[in-house]
Amino acid sequence: MNPSRPSGRASDQLRTVTLERHYTRHAEGSVLVSFGDTRVLCTASIEDRAPAWLRGKGEGWVTAEYGMLPRATNTRTQREAARGGQGGRTMEIQRLIGRSLRACVNRQALGERVITLDCDVLQADGGTRTAAITGAYVALVDAVNLLMKRENLKRNPIVGAVAAVSVGIYKGVPVLDLDYAEDSDCDTDMNVVMNDGGGFIEVQGTAEGHAFRRGEMDTMLALAEQGIGELVAAQRAALAL
Amino acid sequence: MNPSRPSGRASDQLRTVTLERHYTRHAEGSVLVSFGDTRVLCTASIEDRAPAWLRGKGEGWVTAEYGMLPRATNTRTQREAARGGQGGRTMEIQRLIGRSLRACVNRQALGERVITLDCDVLQADGGTRTAAITGAYVALVDAVNLLMKRENLKRNPIVGAVAAVSVGIYKGVPVLDLDYAEDSDCDTDMNVVMNDGGGFIEVQGTAEGHAFRRGEMDTMLALAEQGIGELVAAQRAALAL
Amino acid sequence: MNPSRPSGRASDQLRTVTLERHYTRHAEGSVLVSFGDTRVLCTASIEDRAPAWLRGKGEGWVTAEYGMLPRATNTRTQREAARGGQGGRTMEIQRLIGRSLRACVNRQALGERVITLDCDVLQADGGTRTAAITGAYVALVDAVNLLMKRENLKRNPIVGAVAAVSVGIYKGVPVLDLDYAEDSDCDTDMNVVMNDGGGFIEVQGTAEGHAFRRGEMDTMLALAEQGIGELVAAQRAALAL
Amino acid sequence: MNPSRPSGRASDQLRTVTLERHYTRHAEGSVLVSFGDTRVLCTASIEDRAPAWLRGKGEGWVTAEYGMLPRATNTRTQREAARGGQGGRTMEIQRLIGRSLRACVNRQALGERVITLDCDVLQADGGTRTAAITGAYVALVDAVNLLMKRENLKRNPIVGAVAAVSVGIYKGVPVLDLDYAEDSDCDTDMNVVMNDGGGFIEVQGTAEGHAFRRGEMDTMLALAEQGIGELVAAQRAALAL
Amino acid sequence: MNPSRPSGRASDQLRTVTLERHYTRHAEGSVLVSFGDTRVLCTASIEDRAPAWLRGKGEGWVTAEYGMLPRATNTRTQREAARGGQGGRTMEIQRLIGRSLRACVNRQALGERVITLDCDVLQADGGTRTAAITGAYVALVDAVNLLMKRENLKRNPIVGAVAAVSVGIYKGVPVLDLDYAEDSDCDTDMNVVMNDGGGFIEVQGTAEGHAFRRGEMDTMLALAEQGIGELVAAQRAALAL
Amino acid sequence: MNPSRPSGRASDQLRTVTLERHYTRHAEGSVLVSFGDTRVLCTASIEDRAPAWLRGKGEGWVTAEYGMLPRATNTRTQREAARGGQGGRTMEIQRLIGRSLRACVNRQALGERVITLDCDVLQADGGTRTAAITGAYVALVDAVNLLMKRENLKRNPIVGAVAAVSVGIYKGVPVLDLDYAEDSDCDTDMNVVMNDGGGFIEVQGTAEGHAFRRGEMDTMLALAEQGIGELVAAQRAALAL
């Protein structure tokens, strides 16, 4: 029991991670991912049509959309559809998810198709975007496997695994996988996306309070590398079932 | 086994109904309702503030919003937030849910508060609006019970139970609780909302194919009365847990 | 003189109904319908092009749009175009009008064409949607007759007549064709759309106050059947001129 | 019979002008104005509240909104409410109507009120904005007279009359009050708004084809002065009824 | 030094006019125009594609868009993109700029191309639309010259010069080229667009205070003719560099 | 001359940076910043009113908006105001600028005021967001200095300097301050925001091609630290004039 974190977790300890495949039945891939109390439904939908700007080029596209149910949060958030459009935070997150997942796809091997990853937060407790990326990867693999079987693709368009985690500095201490209590009160928050080869796909660090130093950054990156290793293992385990 | 319905159900047979309370943790009421493969997450959120047009009148309001996750459906539906607003079907449904639930609330007893019922379809297989009404009632009761305890209300603002079911004429035969296979191929589709005293709150019948006769209407209404009786019993059972 | 209704009408008495054809000159059909002080301009516009989703299928479409001039109402209502879009009530009504009129059209016989019925309320006194349906039918017939003459169609795409009326329970008494004074103070309001063969196309009943009983519903439906019979006669008389 | 104009009118001849007061019953002023086949319903609505930016200054405001029913035109025009907002042409016209009518109102004498002039085109045949201004003036006077009676105002806020007409150069000849056939095929189109004292309130001339010369402008302005004299007389006659 | 104008200018004196070509490097034409402290960046962009409604007709189109940086004005104006659309004033101005520039282009000689003139106000001090038209003409000529060289056009699509200036009645005196101090306090404001042959393309005069008389109009038009003569000379001089 | 970069710059060489203060005259701070051919106009506007959610808390806010003139880019980009709203990229950038500048402001010392930083790209050649942050800082300081003088503030709300630069891996080599030719063809692109004390405020790195390794990241961060040192010096020099 670590007194310095509200949850009592050790500084380098992830929350309990679960990846429940086939959570809904219509989508080609459908995964309910939980990082502790954060629960995100990730579906992968295949459309056999390239977007207009790629037509005739023989390659596909992977994109993402993100949403939050109005009462996924502690107090009710206005529904974006009722407000007339997606806000800046939503757009930023769904662009991040899309870029991250494209990093593990060979778009030539995918052919003229679009895969849309819908990540909808059913319950939020910090880290929704990193949970979304981690779960969307599993949904993507399920969808691509179905496609390969159905269409008899020659090559697997998936060229690696992708997972994401947040790290930050909470009450002066670098910690892994911030929950909402930490996230809303930390000095620095950094989202890290990596592949299973240890390469970085995205690093987005923001000083919420005081600016962070190179040494702190190095510690946070090391925590992220460790956490992502565990998440990739959890993805593999889920896909092996 | 009834050969005339795709599911083999008898004409007067509901799908399996489940009402899972406390499905998410932030909302004052949170229920996952299933009518067979149709699954809707209904949350009730209390705000201690009357809407502008009721301020100072000493009474409250109950309203509803409805949404469908993009891949709740067989093929992906565009996200309304991305399209820039709620469509006509969504508005029609959420207005229906709001009116239905207001019918069982004493708004003076509620006091200057707003309860918002968010009904989000995780998986669709026909009857999402009737499942939403039936589940939202349970979420509403949970929220009001919490409120009564917390605020020491003198009177219970809930003055009855409300449930809803669809009936229709499928291949010439009046049937109860249409699933998607029936709904997309029926002659008449009627949504009925009733209270636990056997009174009608809403009746919305539409001839999709040939116009329906008074006799057919009478049979459909009788099926609805029976089905709603079973749904009210299921609500009571769930609330008794 | 009936003291129980503000207008003094008998319970089963329609307001004065007029159907003025050729009210404006550009539209293929143009009818000013009055139900007492409610006045709706209904125009039918033919476009020789199926909507995208019907192209190449050899069949047509009938759709409706509804609007209310800002000062059709007792106090000025904000213009929907200025507010940036159509509200929920407008969408609900125009979807109802469109469904109702499609029920009397053979879309194969129409061929790859769209007929748009624009129903714009010049003056409102309750029952605008039922007046709109009743008037739009006459505009539709005028437009189709013009089309048959112009295009030498083999079959008449109109397969019956459609009319609509509201019924309700006002101060405990079932009444026909509610005006605004009744509509804003009634217990139950039901809009009924029927064809000239006595079949039901739509039934939309809402308990505004206490829930209504089967017996009340039966009385209301009987009033509606009678009223629609008179409206269909008025349509025939107008078309015979 | 003048062979040079499609209508056979003389160069300096207005179309038949009618001003039908009390056309609808809810608005404080309601006038159906016709310039030949152009018919515009003008209503004046009084709100006893200054706009936010004038509050506490003891003066009022006069504003206008313009709309066109979808089938007022020869082919159907998409409804602006359905398109999601008012287009540039609509905004330009309603700003012109508002400025023109404010020119005949003493806003101090009006007090903290807003009068909104809604001008909705039921049928279009050229000159809708000039007909709207001419008709809206009569509706405004009716509304102000009602207000003066009701509120016992000391001074009449109306300080003159305002009317408008179009002039143009059609097939080389300056003409008064262009109809649609002329408007869509003219070299120059000029809308002129004047008061009853012969002063100019707005002049908006546009060369559609070749640029116009000072001499042509002088002739057009003289035609406009004559036409507006006749329109002001028609307004007086209508108000005297 | 003229005491009657805030700037001390003579009644018939333009502000200092500069036309800086090639102000930015990507556009086919790019001009920073200054009328005193009013500075507008005008770019001309060529697209080798007719708009949909002109396709296959062998002719092109010239259009304009207008914008104002949020702090071009004395107090910050909300960004139109953030507000969700262009306002009425913006639409009115960009429609005027587009019409004015089309008046000097032979659209057949242009071929199936669109030239878009973007006029963005960097700093506003009255007369932004007249500066925009005057500057956009120079940007248009630069773009067309580039096009003629690049595409080896046979005929020059530019058939004349176009410039614009405001005139008005300030403290009872007709003056040329109103700055903001005059514009916000004048009785009449008139924008005049002319070609280099002395023909009028647009005249838009508005009485802000008292209505203006024919004699005043004649004086204003004479001032405008003189001012535009000087502006056309400035355009020629800039293009000769 | 370095053959490996299109511009011939050394790997650790910034483009020519200029900061032109008082570029426009209305804003409290107005700076034209150039990073080579990238030119961004940054204005700071002070409003003496906290946003609604901070009212009565005695502290202020700093926010940013970002825009791009339609022809700032190589081919014309559609105007966001005409498209009906700001896109995801714009929102992402303006949120970044706002967060970055808030990191150098003591919001208590600012008092109940809002400072809006408008960053409008006149010409784009890569690195518009880093140029915007670097220039907006200078505009912010000018505005705050004016405010301190005008309002006699006791404490300076500016608590440090903030500047930003991009780094990336271009053809395998880590380079500083990517221009458009590099940006559109690089493997990794990282935007770094730092304060003058060497602390990190934001780090946003994206692998466009292959994932980047820790070693590469370290080199990029070192380049950024050096570049930002030079930018802070340029800011100081500009503010000393």
Side-chain angles (χ1 to χ4, degrees):
Chain A
M1 189 73 185
N2 177 355
S4 76
R5 303 186 74 172
S7 61
R9 280 186 283 148
S11 303
D12 63 350
Q13 190 181 347
L14 291 175
R15 289 176 284 181
T16 302
V17 172
T18 63
L19 291 152
E20 184 175 349
R21 288 163 65 203
H22 313 305
Y23 185 72
T24 56
R25 77 171 202 195
H26 297 303
E28 282 74 34
S30 173
V31 170
L32 183 74
V33 58
S34 304
F35 276 28
D37 273 338
T38 288
R39 284 155 61 186
V40 186
L41 174 52
C42 308
T43 59
S45 299
I46 301 176
E47 219 185 337
D48 279 330
R49 228 175 31 133
W53 44 279
L54 276 180
R55 221 150 280 165
K57 300 207 174 163
E59 56 184 271
W61 191 243
V62 174
T63 186
E65 293 195 8
Y66 172 90
M68 183 116 80
L69 295 195
R71 199 55 197 280
T73 43
N74 199 40
T75 57
R76 188 175 183 271
T77 310
Q78 208 196 336
R79 196 176 284 269
E80 291 191 316
R83 223 163 42 196
Q86 297 175 305
R89 180 184 170 276
T90 293
M91 290 204 194
E92 206 168 303
I93 293 176
Q94 67 193 14
R95 286 159 57 92
L96 169 66
I97 301 171
R99 280 197 310 272
S100 297
L101 274 298
R102 280 194 292 279
C104 72
V105 173
N106 178 335
R107 301 201 284 107
Q108 277 73 32
L110 180 59
E112 296 213 348
R113 291 179 182 90
V114 175
I115 300 183
T116 302
L117 299 159
D118 285 291
C119 299
D120 286 273
V121 180
L122 304 190
Q123 190 172 276
D125 187 37
T128 62
R129 78 190 74 185
T130 53
I133 291 168
T134 305
Y137 171 74
V138 177
L140 174 66
V141 170
D142 272 338
V144 166
N145 284 343
L146 195 70
L147 180 70
M148 289 183 69
K149 201 181 296 177
R150 205 168 66 191
E151 304 283 337
N152 206 4
L153 293 192
K154 290 195 211 92
R155 282 183 303 165
N156 190 337
I158 302 289
V159 298
V162 166
V165 80
S166 74
V167 286
I169 297 178
Y170 176 74
K171 301 205 181 291
V173 179
V175 293
L176 177 66
D177 189 21
L178 288 75
D179 56 31
Y180 181 74
E182 293 168 330
D183 191 28
S184 55
D185 189 31
C186 68
D187 284 322
T188 291
D189 179 20
M190 186 177 289
N191 292 297
V192 180
V193 187
M194 296 180 72
N195 63 23
D196 56 346
F200 290 91
I201 291 166
E202 285 268 345
V203 174
Q204 296 198 341
T206 300
E208 309 276 353
H210 79 95
F212 54 93
R213 321 296 311 181
R214 260 309 289 277
E216 293 173 320
M217 190 169 185
D218 290 346
T219 310
M220 289 190 286
L221 290 172
L223 281 173
E225 288 183 69
Q226 172 218 310
I228 285 174
E230 297 175 31
L231 291 169
V232 168
Q235 290 172 328
R236 271 194 203 122
L239 285 166
L241 293 180
Chain B
M1 190 71 186
N2 176 355
S4 78
R5 302 186 74 173
S7 61
R9 280 187 282 147
S11 302
D12 62 353
Q13 190 182 347
L14 292 174
R15 290 175 283 179
T16 304
V17 172
T18 63
L19 291 152
E20 183 176 351
R21 288 162 67 205
H22 313 305
Y23 186 73
T24 56
R25 77 169 202 197
H26 297 305
E28 283 72 35
S30 173
V31 170
L32 183 74
V33 59
S34 304
F35 276 26
D37 273 338
T38 288
R39 285 155 61 186
V40 185
L41 174 51
C42 308
T43 59
S45 299
I46 301 177
E47 219 184 338
D48 279 331
R49 230 177 27 135
W53 45 278
L54 277 180
R55 222 150 280 166
K57 303 208 173 161
E59 56 185 89
W61 192 242
V62 173
T63 187
E65 293 195 7
Y66 173 91
M68 182 116 79
L69 295 196
R71 197 54 197 281
T73 42
N74 199 39
T75 57
R76 188 174 183 272
T77 311
Q78 209 195 337
R79 195 176 284 270
E80 291 192 316
R83 222 162 44 192
Q86 295 176 307
R89 180 183 170 277
T90 292
M91 290 202 194
E92 206 169 303
I93 293 176
Q94 66 192 15
R95 285 159 58 94
L96 170 65
I97 301 171
R99 279 198 310 271
S100 298
L101 275 297
R102 279 194 293 279
C104 72
V105 173
N106 177 334
R107 303 201 284 105
Q108 276 73 32
L110 180 59
E112 296 213 348
R113 291 179 182 89
V114 176
I115 301 184
T116 302
L117 299 160
D118 285 291
C119 300
D120 286 274
V121 180
L122 303 189
Q123 191 173 275
D125 187 37
T128 62
R129 78 190 73 186
T130 53
I133 291 167
T134 304
Y137 171 74
V138 178
L140 174 66
V141 171
D142 272 338
V144 166
N145 284 343
L146 195 70
L147 180 70
M148 289 183 67
K149 199 180 298 176
R150 206 168 66 192
E151 305 282 338
N152 205 7
L153 293 192
K154 291 194 212 93
R155 281 184 303 166
N156 190 338
I158 302 289
V159 297
V162 167
V165 79
S166 73
V167 285
I169 298 178
Y170 176 73
K171 301 204 181 292
V173 180
V175 293
L176 176 66
D177 188 21
L178 288 75
D179 57 30
Y180 180 75
E182 292 167 330
D183 191 28
S184 55
D185 190 30
C186 69
D187 283 323
T188 291
D189 178 20
M190 184 177 291
N191 292 296
V192 180
V193 186
M194 295 179 75
N195 62 24
D196 55 347
F200 290 91
I201 291 166
E202 287 268 344
V203 174
Q204 295 198 342
T206 300
E208 308 276 354
H210 78 96
F212 54 95
R213 319 298 309 182
R214 261 310 289 278
E216 291 172 321
M217 192 168 183
D218 290 345
T219 311
M220 288 190 286
L221 290 172
L223 282 173
E225 286 183 70
Q226 172 218 310
I228 286 174
E230 297 175 32
L231 291 169
V232 169
Q235 290 173 328
R236 271 191 204 126
L239 285 165
L241 292 180
Chain C
M1 190 72 186
N2 176 355
S4 78
R5 303 186 74 173
S7 61
R9 279 187 283 147
S11 303
D12 63 351
Q13 190 181 346
L14 292 175
R15 290 175 283 181
T16 304
V17 172
T18 63
L19 291 152
E20 183 176 349
R21 289 163 66 205
H22 313 305
Y23 185 73
T24 56
R25 77 170 201 197
H26 296 305
E28 283 73 35
S30 173
V31 170
L32 183 74
V33 58
S34 305
F35 277 26
D37 272 339
T38 288
R39 285 155 61 185
V40 185
L41 174 51
C42 307
T43 59
S45 299
I46 301 176
E47 220 184 337
D48 280 331
R49 228 174 33 130
W53 44 279
L54 276 181
R55 222 151 279 164
K57 301 207 174 162
E59 57 185 89
W61 192 243
V62 173
T63 186
E65 293 195 7
Y66 172 91
M68 183 115 81
L69 294 197
R71 197 55 197 280
T73 43
N74 199 39
T75 56
R76 188 175 183 272
T77 311
Q78 208 195 339
R79 195 176 284 270
E80 291 191 316
R83 222 163 42 195
Q86 296 176 306
R89 181 184 170 276
T90 292
M91 290 202 195
E92 205 168 303
I93 293 176
Q94 66 192 15
R95 285 160 56 93
L96 169 66
I97 301 172
R99 279 197 311 271
S100 298
L101 275 297
R102 280 194 294 279
C104 72
V105 173
N106 177 334
R107 301 202 285 106
Q108 277 72 33
L110 180 59
E112 296 214 346
R113 291 179 182 89
V114 175
I115 301 184
T116 303
L117 299 159
D118 285 291
C119 300
D120 286 274
V121 180
L122 303 189
Q123 191 172 276
D125 187 36
T128 63
R129 78 190 72 186
T130 53
I133 291 167
T134 304
Y137 171 74
V138 178
L140 175 67
V141 171
D142 272 338
V144 166
N145 283 343
L146 195 71
L147 180 70
M148 289 184 68
K149 200 181 295 177
R150 206 168 67 191
E151 304 284 337
N152 206 7
L153 293 193
K154 291 195 211 93
R155 283 185 300 167
N156 190 338
I158 303 290
V159 298
V162 167
V165 79
S166 73
V167 285
I169 298 178
Y170 176 73
K171 301 203 180 292
V173 180
V175 293
L176 177 66
D177 188 21
L178 289 74
D179 56 31
Y180 180 75
E182 293 167 330
D183 191 28
S184 55
D185 189 29
C186 68
D187 283 323
T188 291
D189 178 20
M190 185 178 289
N191 292 296
V192 180
V193 186
M194 296 179 74
N195 63 24
D196 54 347
F200 289 90
I201 290 166
E202 287 267 345
V203 174
Q204 295 198 340
T206 300
E208 308 276 354
H210 78 96
F212 54 94
R213 320 295 311 178
R214 260 311 288 277
E216 293 172 321
M217 191 167 183
D218 290 345
T219 311
M220 288 191 286
L221 290 172
L223 282 173
E225 286 183 71
Q226 172 218 311
I228 286 174
E230 297 175 32
L231 291 169
V232 168
Q235 290 173 329
R236 271 195 204 122
L239 284 165
L241 292 180
Chain D
M1 189 69 186
N2 177 353
S4 78
R5 302 186 75 171
S7 61
R9 280 187 283 148
S11 303
D12 62 353
Q13 190 181 346
L14 292 175
R15 290 175 283 181
T16 303
V17 172
T18 63
L19 292 152
E20 184 177 349
R21 288 162 67 203
H22 313 305
Y23 185 73
T24 55
R25 77 170 201 194
H26 296 303
E28 283 73 35
S30 173
V31 170
L32 183 74
V33 58
S34 305
F35 277 26
D37 273 339
T38 288
R39 285 156 60 186
V40 185
L41 175 52
C42 307
T43 59
S45 299
I46 301 177
E47 218 185 339
D48 278 331
R49 232 176 27 134
W53 45 278
L54 278 180
R55 221 150 280 165
K57 302 206 172 161
E59 57 184 88
W61 190 243
V62 174
T63 186
E65 292 195 8
Y66 172 91
M68 183 116 80
L69 295 196
R71 198 54 197 280
T73 43
N74 200 39
T75 57
R76 187 174 183 273
T77 310
Q78 208 197 336
R79 195 176 283 270
E80 290 190 318
R83 221 163 43 194
Q86 296 176 306
R89 179 183 171 277
T90 292
M91 291 204 193
E92 205 169 305
I93 293 176
Q94 67 193 15
R95 285 159 57 92
L96 170 66
I97 300 172
R99 280 198 309 271
S100 297
L101 274 298
R102 280 194 294 278
C104 71
V105 173
N106 177 335
R107 302 200 285 106
Q108 275 74 31
L110 180 58
E112 296 213 347
R113 289 178 184 91
V114 176
I115 301 184
T116 303
L117 300 158
D118 285 291
C119 300
D120 287 274
V121 180
L122 304 189
Q123 191 173 276
D125 187 37
T128 63
R129 78 190 73 187
T130 53
I133 291 168
T134 304
Y137 171 74
V138 178
L140 174 65
V141 170
D142 272 338
V144 166
N145 284 343
L146 196 69
L147 179 70
M148 289 184 69
K149 200 181 297 177
R150 205 168 67 191
E151 304 283 337
N152 205 7
L153 292 193
K154 293 196 209 91
R155 282 184 302 166
N156 191 338
I158 303 290
V159 298
V162 166
V165 78
S166 74
V167 286
I169 297 178
Y170 176 72
K171 300 204 181 292
V173 180
V175 294
L176 177 66
D177 188 22
L178 288 74
D179 56 31
Y180 180 75
E182 292 168 330
D183 192 27
S184 55
D185 190 31
C186 68
D187 283 323
T188 291
D189 178 20
M190 185 177 289
N191 292 295
V192 180
V193 186
M194 296 179 73
N195 63 23
D196 56 346
F200 289 91
I201 290 166
E202 285 268 346
V203 174
Q204 295 198 342
T206 301
E208 308 277 353
H210 79 96
F212 54 95
R213 319 298 309 183
R214 262 309 289 277
E216 292 173 321
M217 191 169 184
D218 291 345
T219 310
M220 288 190 286
L221 290 173
L223 282 172
E225 287 184 69
Q226 173 218 310
I228 285 174
E230 298 175 31
L231 291 169
V232 168
Q235 290 172 328
R236 272 193 202 124
L239 285 165
L241 292 180
Chain E
M1 189 70 185
N2 177 353
S4 77
R5 304 186 73 172
S7 60
R9 280 186 282 146
S11 304
D12 63 351
Q13 191 181 347
L14 292 175
R15 290 175 283 180
T16 303
V17 172
T18 63
L19 291 152
E20 184 176 348
R21 289 163 66 203
H22 314 306
Y23 185 73
T24 56
R25 78 170 200 194
H26 297 303
E28 283 74 34
S30 173
V31 170
L32 183 74
V33 58
S34 305
F35 277 26
D37 273 339
T38 288
R39 285 156 59 186
V40 186
L41 174 51
C42 308
T43 59
S45 298
I46 301 176
E47 218 185 339
D48 280 329
R49 229 175 31 133
W53 44 280
L54 277 179
R55 221 151 280 164
K57 302 207 173 163
E59 57 185 89
W61 191 243
V62 173
T63 186
E65 292 195 7
Y66 173 91
M68 183 115 81
L69 295 195
R71 197 54 197 280
T73 43
N74 199 40
T75 56
R76 188 173 183 272
T77 310
Q78 208 196 336
R79 195 176 285 269
E80 291 191 318
R83 222 161 44 193
Q86 296 177 307
R89 180 183 171 276
T90 293
M91 290 203 194
E92 204 168 305
I93 293 175
Q94 67 193 16
R95 285 159 57 93
L96 169 66
I97 301 172
R99 280 198 309 273
S100 297
L101 274 299
R102 279 194 293 278
C104 73
V105 172
N106 177 332
R107 301 199 288 108
Q108 276 73 32
L110 180 59
E112 296 213 348
R113 290 178 182 91
V114 175
I115 300 184
T116 302
L117 299 159
D118 285 291
C119 299
D120 287 274
V121 180
L122 303 189
Q123 190 173 274
D125 187 37
T128 62
R129 78 190 74 186
T130 53
I133 292 167
T134 305
Y137 171 74
V138 177
L140 175 66
V141 170
D142 272 339
V144 166
N145 283 343
L146 196 70
L147 180 70
M148 291 184 68
K149 200 182 295 177
R150 208 168 65 191
E151 303 284 336
N152 207 7
L153 294 192
K154 291 195 210 95
R155 282 183 302 166
N156 191 337
I158 302 290
V159 298
V162 166
V165 79
S166 74
V167 285
I169 297 179
Y170 176 74
K171 301 204 180 290
V173 180
V175 294
L176 177 66
D177 188 21
L178 287 75
D179 56 31
Y180 179 75
E182 293 167 330
D183 191 28
S184 54
D185 189 30
C186 68
D187 283 322
T188 292
D189 177 21
M190 186 177 288
N191 291 295
V192 180
V193 186
M194 297 180 73
N195 64 22
D196 55 346
F200 290 91
I201 291 167
E202 286 267 346
V203 174
Q204 295 198 341
T206 300
E208 308 276 353
H210 78 96
F212 54 94
R213 320 295 313 178
R214 261 311 288 277
E216 292 172 323
M217 190 169 184
D218 290 346
T219 310
M220 288 190 286
L221 289 172
L223 283 172
E225 287 184 71
Q226 173 218 311
I228 285 174
E230 297 175 31
L231 291 169
V232 168
Q235 289 172 330
R236 269 192 204 125
L239 285 164
L241 292 180
Chain F
M1 189 72 187
N2 176 352
S4 79
R5 303 186 75 172
S7 61
R9 280 187 283 147
S11 304
D12 63 352
Q13 189 181 349
L14 292 174
R15 290 175 284 179
T16 303
V17 172
T18 63
L19 291 152
E20 184 175 350
R21 289 162 67 203
H22 313 305
Y23 185 72
T24 56
R25 79 170 201 195
H26 297 303
E28 283 73 33
S30 174
V31 170
L32 183 74
V33 59
S34 305
F35 277 26
D37 273 339
T38 288
R39 285 156 61 185
V40 186
L41 174 52
C42 308
T43 59
S45 299
I46 301 176
E47 220 185 337
D48 279 331
R49 232 178 24 137
W53 45 279
L54 278 179
R55 221 152 279 164
K57 301 209 173 160
E59 57 185 89
W61 192 244
V62 174
T63 187
E65 292 194 9
Y66 173 91
M68 182 115 82
L69 294 195
R71 199 53 196 280
T73 42
N74 200 39
T75 56
R76 188 174 184 272
T77 310
Q78 209 197 334
R79 195 176 284 269
E80 290 191 318
R83 221 163 40 194
Q86 296 176 306
R89 180 184 170 275
T90 292
M91 290 203 194
E92 204 168 305
I93 293 176
Q94 67 193 15
R95 285 160 57 94
L96 170 66
I97 301 171
R99 280 197 310 272
S100 297
L101 274 298
R102 279 193 294 278
C104 73
V105 173
N106 177 334
R107 301 200 286 107
Q108 277 73 32
L110 180 58
E112 295 213 349
R113 290 179 182 90
V114 175
I115 301 184
T116 303
L117 299 159
D118 285 291
C119 300
D120 286 274
V121 179
L122 304 189
Q123 191 172 276
D125 187 38
T128 62
R129 77 189 73 185
T130 53
I133 291 167
T134 305
Y137 171 74
V138 177
L140 175 65
V141 171
D142 272 338
V144 167
N145 284 343
L146 196 70
L147 179 70
M148 291 183 68
K149 200 180 296 177
R150 208 167 66 190
E151 305 284 336
N152 206 7
L153 294 192
K154 291 194 211 95
R155 282 184 302 166
N156 190 337
I158 303 289
V159 299
V162 165
V165 78
S166 73
V167 286
I169 298 179
Y170 176 72
K171 300 202 181 295
V173 180
V175 293
L176 177 65
D177 187 22
L178 287 75
D179 57 30
Y180 180 74
E182 292 168 332
D183 191 28
S184 54
D185 189 31
C186 68
D187 283 322
T188 292
D189 178 20
M190 185 177 288
N191 291 296
V192 180
V193 186
M194 296 179 74
N195 63 24
D196 56 345
F200 290 91
I201 290 167
E202 286 267 347
V203 174
Q204 295 197 341
T206 300
E208 308 276 354
H210 78 95
F212 54 95
R213 320 295 311 180
R214 261 310 288 278
E216 292 172 321
M217 190 168 185
D218 291 345
T219 310
M220 288 191 286
L221 289 173
L223 282 172
E225 288 183 69
Q226 173 217 312
I228 285 174
E230 297 175 31
L231 291 169
V232 169
Q235 289 173 330
R236 271 191 203 127
L239 285 165
L241 291 180

